[in-house]
């Protein structure tokens, strides 16, 4: 140790460096103020068109229209504001990233200080359970292991040792460096701070996020496209009405005002609010399914996801080491029950139930694993043993300590061996801790009438020191060359299955001799970080929905491939490492990236490059992750998804969606909701535009034909406010169609009116307009007054629209093939709209307001008859 290191810095030195270096914090993401969030709701092109229409309405003296439009725009803005503001507060509650304190040497004394005040040169002390507050060079370590999965994706804790005193390079994956944000799992460590704040590995990743700009979502692009279409329609209507009137000899100014008035009527005022309500309802449903949505529009973007880039550790896997196999010289034993689940069983040869107590080598191997462990496991309820070798219980073990040692304890518990059951016969005398240099652990204990040393460590360290092995009868037997060769081959086979292999051995000795040979080999313990069962299901569902799922991990290629195969991800795909990626140009990567389903040994910059490559190919990319190393790619993706339980604060901040239960199945539900939202938006856009085209066509043809005004402004206002808005909102609550997840996602460049939607809208709008006009002229020929004609036209317009709303429930099935009561909210909305129409026509006080009169039975039948004719005529097109 260099001079002064044990004493650390003085408070004066630290204060001077703090002024120069700044506090040990990351660049705080600028919080969006409430006013900025609210004003951001007015950037939508449709909202801008409505605001322009409001100004024109005021200039024309149509104050009621202007007030109505302003109220709708404000409703839309308030809904969007409430959602985003609520999300900001939820994210605040989730923040728990950096360690608040650090044990630091100052002025020769060890004291606890705010981690934000650490500077380079500070000497800190770390022990199991600590969050590492800065990037540090290890000065001294005793069995110290760090969990760096949030930075590297490695699921296994990494051993740390002191290195070259002059080495201050804080690159990733160095054994002599501990990294900010990682956690101490085991042992103790003294380290010197070499980088703080933005200069740490975590800080650099945080800085990468500021260089990523979010693009408009596919829905925002489609709505902008729709806004342009509406603007063009308004302009064309205005010019057409103006031109037709002038040609008829009408006053130029009057016709200009009339044209502008009808053009404003063509604007679907309720569309922005209806879209926002539909998205907000989807957000509410997703929240109930444990998914928190940051931005409203990201809900719909999930629906057109074509590629999911998933992190491995903690996302596809459980991030819980599990012993799946123990191999002795004569037999292989298998353990069921993944992760920390209490229930599980031990079998021989794969499926033969056993009594572990009769399997001497197995029992001694498990006993060795329990004794060579400083971890602890516990449950609220004592698990029941159905029979020897099988354990039944609800829930999971509560684990403290090293995950590898906990896995051995859980495996032993399935065979009925626990620390408590051994305490009567076994007393630990002394322990030689696991060290990353020696790569083994030894425990000296008195067991019954003799003293033993149990060893646990790397296969290549323990096996060469074994001169004997335990046979089937529990007696030592000579280790022949053939047996040794067989054990080496077995260890290789287990490694090929991506199992982490530990060797277990024992010897008798009166004192602790960690370096002695002549050990008795007991067995190999093979463990893995198992795939989540729900992740397997989610991956299958994504495949059926034509969504490609790829795994991106910092783990070794062999491990990644094995996990991918178990999770159902491989299936003909290839694997590639970060080093191999570096050899490919962007053009080569874009050409070949579709071949790969596994990306191993990747760093944050690789993840970012992979996401960008998929996006350049026109894919809509969803990136899931929990670690800081995932954050840049999560932010770059079209939809970033963070894990709410295991996810780091940086990743949650970068994400659009946060899975509160870390369950990939929740993501699949979110994809389904996204598809449903877009389908529903198309449904009510179809409905609203068809209705507006019908209204405009009615007014336009009436003027062209020299007829009295078909509908008065107050009557059009009634239609737009009540009979358009409520059913449209109810359409936004339509449930997903049964086959929605069996269809491929829509292309990112697919237009809003694809699939013949525009033809359907125009056709139905024309039919609604013609039937309304026909109703007016028919009643006039029957001798009705202008007021009665207008009333009948109003009835035909509203009823034909209410019939049409049920047609809009599906683009694939006709109204005659759908259950009319499949969406009871829509039935209720239609009933309310019809009741409002009936009240406006029948109640005397409202007749005065809306200039209506009650028609006789023949006139009423004519009006309703023309409404029913619309879907019948549409069936022929």
């Amino acid at each position: 140790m260099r001079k002064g290191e044990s004493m650390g810095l003085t408070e004066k030195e630290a204060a001077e460096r703090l002024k120069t270096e700044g506090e040990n914090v990351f660049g705080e993401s600028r919080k969006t103020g409430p006013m900025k969030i609210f004003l951001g709701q007015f950037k939508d092109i449709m909202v801008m068109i409505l605001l322009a229409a409001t100004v024109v309405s005021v200039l024309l003296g149509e104050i009621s229209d202007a007030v109505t439009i302003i109220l709708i725009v404000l409703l839309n803005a308030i809904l969007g504001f409430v959602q985003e503001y609520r999300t900001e507060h939820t994210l605040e509650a989730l923040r728990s990233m950096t360690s608040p304190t650090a044990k630091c040497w100052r002025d020769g004394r060890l004291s606890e200080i705010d981690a934000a005040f650490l500077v380079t040169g500070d000497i800190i002390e770390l022990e199991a359970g600590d969050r590492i507050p800065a990037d540090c060079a290890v000065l001294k370590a005793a069995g110290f292991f760090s969990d760096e999965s949030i930075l590297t994706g490695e699921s296994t804790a990494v051993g740390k040792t002191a290195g070259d005193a002059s080495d201050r390079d804080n690159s990733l994956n160095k054994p002599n460096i501990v990294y900010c944000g990682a956690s101490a799992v085991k042992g103790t460590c003294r380290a010197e701070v070499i980088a703080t704040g933005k200069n740490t590995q975590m800080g650099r990743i945080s800085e990468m996020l500021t260089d990523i700009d979010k693009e408009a979502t596919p829905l925002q692009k489609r709505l902008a496209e729709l806004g342009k279409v509406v603007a063009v329609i308004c302009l064309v209507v205005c010019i057409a009405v103006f031109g037709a009137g002038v040609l008829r000899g009408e006053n130029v100014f009057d016709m200009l005002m009339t044209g502008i008035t009808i053009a404003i009527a063509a604007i679907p005022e309720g569309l922005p609010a209806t879209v926002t309500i539909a998205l907000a309802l989807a957000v509410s449903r997703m929240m109930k399914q444990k998914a928190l949505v940051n931005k409203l529009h990201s809900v719909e973007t999930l629906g057109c996801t074509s590629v999911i880039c998933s992190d491995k550790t903690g996302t596809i896997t459980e991030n819980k080491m599990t012993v799946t196999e123990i191999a002795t010289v004569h037999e292989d034993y298998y353990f069921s029950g993944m992760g920390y689940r209490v229930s599980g069983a031990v079998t021989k040869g794969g499926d033969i139930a056993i009594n572990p107590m009769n399997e001497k080598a197995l029992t001694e191997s498990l006993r060795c694993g329990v004794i060579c462990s400083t971890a602890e496991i516990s449950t609220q309820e004592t698990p029941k043993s159905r029979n020897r070798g099988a354990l039944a219980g609800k829930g999971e073990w509560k684990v403290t300590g090293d995950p590898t040692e906990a896995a051995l304890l859980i495996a032993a518990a399935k065979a009925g061996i626990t620390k408590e059951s051994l305490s009567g016969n076994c007393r630990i005398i002394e322990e030689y801790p696991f060290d990353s240099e020696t790569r083994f652990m030894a425990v000296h204990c008195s067991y019954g009438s003799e003293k033993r040393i149990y060893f646990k460590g790397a296969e290549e360290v323990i096996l060469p020191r074994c001169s004997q092995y335990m046979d089937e009868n529990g007696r030592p037997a000579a280790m022949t060359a053939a047996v040794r060769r067989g054990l080496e081959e077995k260890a290789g086979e287990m490694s090929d299955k991506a199992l982490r292999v530990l060797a277990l051995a024992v010897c008798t000795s009166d004192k602790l001799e960690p370096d002695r040979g002549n050990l008795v080999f007991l067995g190999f313990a093979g463990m893995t970080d198992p795939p989540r069962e729900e992740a397997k299901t989610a991956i299958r569902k994504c495949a059926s929905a034509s969504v490609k799922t790829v795994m991106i991990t910092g783990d070794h290629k062999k491990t990644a491939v094995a996990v991918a195969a178990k999770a159902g991800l491989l299936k003909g795909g290839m694997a590639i490492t970060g080093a191999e990626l570096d050899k490919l140009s962007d053009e080569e990567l874009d050409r070949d990236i579709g071949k790969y389903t596994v990306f191993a040994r990747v760093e944050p910059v690789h993840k970012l490059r992979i996401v960008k490559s998929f996006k350049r190919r026109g894919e809509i990319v969803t990136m899931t992750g929990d670690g800081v190393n995932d954050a840049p790619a999560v932010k770059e993706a079209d939809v970033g998804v963070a894990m709410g339980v295991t996810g780091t604060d940086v990743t949650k901040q970068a994400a659009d969606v946060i899975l509160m239960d870390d369950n990939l199945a929740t993501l699949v539900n979110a994809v389904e909701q996204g598809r449903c939202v877009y389908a529903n938006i198309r449904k009510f856009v179809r409905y609203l535009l068809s209705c507006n085209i019908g209204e405009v066509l009615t007014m336009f043809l009436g003027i062209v034909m020299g007829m009295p005004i078909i509908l008065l402004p107050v009557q059009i206002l009634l239609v737009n406010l009540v009979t358009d808005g409520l059913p449209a909102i109810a359409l936004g609550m339509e449930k997903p169609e049964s086959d929605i997840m069996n269809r491929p996602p829509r292309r990112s460049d697919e237009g809003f009116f694809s699939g013949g939607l525009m033809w359907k809208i125009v056709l139905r709008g024309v039919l609604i307009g013609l039937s309304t006009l026909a109703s007016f002229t028919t009643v006039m020929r029957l001798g009705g007054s202008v007021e009665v004609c207008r009333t009948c036209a109003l009835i035909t317009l509203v009823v034909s629209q209410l019939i049409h709303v049920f047609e809009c429930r599906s683009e694939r099935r006709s109204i005659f093939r759908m259950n009319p009561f499949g969406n009871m909210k829509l039935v209720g909305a239609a009933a309310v709209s019809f009741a409002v129409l009936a009240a406006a026509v029948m109640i005397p006080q409202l007749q005065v307001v809306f200039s209506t009169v009650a028609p006789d039975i023949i006139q009423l039948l004519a009006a309703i008859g023309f409404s029913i004719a619309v879907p019948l005529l549409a069936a022929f097109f």
Side-chain angles (χ1 to χ4, degrees), residues 687 689-703 705 707 710-711 760-778 789 792-794 796-801 804 863 866-867 869-871 873:
Y687 172 66
L689 289 186
S690 296
C691 294
N692 279 46
I693 289 173
E695 295 165 23
V696 170
L697 193 63
T698 300
M699 301 294 289
F700 175 66
L701 290 179
I703 292 173
M705 295 168 65
M707 299 170 66
I710 307 297
L711 293 171
K760 293 176 183 176
I761 290 171
V762 172
L763 173 63
R764 183 44 55 90
V766 169
L767 290 176
I768 290 173
L770 291 178
S771 65
T772 304
L773 202 61
S775 176
F776 185 94
T777 56
T778 299
C789 293
C792 289
L794 177 65
T796 300
L797 179 65
V798 172
V799 174
S800 60
Q801 288 181 358
H804 180 48
F866 280 112
S867 301
V870 175
L873 286 172

Side-chain angles (χ1 to χ4, degrees), residues 355-369:
N355 179 351
M357 296 302 130
N358 295 333
E359 311 291 327
K360 303 300 183 182
L362 169 65
T363 303
E364 194 66 11
S365 296
L366 292 172
R367 190 177 290 127
C368 175

Side-chain angles (χ1 to χ4, degrees), residues 305-316:
T305 294
S306 57
V307 174
I308 293 178
C309 298
S310 177
D311 181 41
K312 177 183 79 71
T313 305
T315 306
I316 290 178

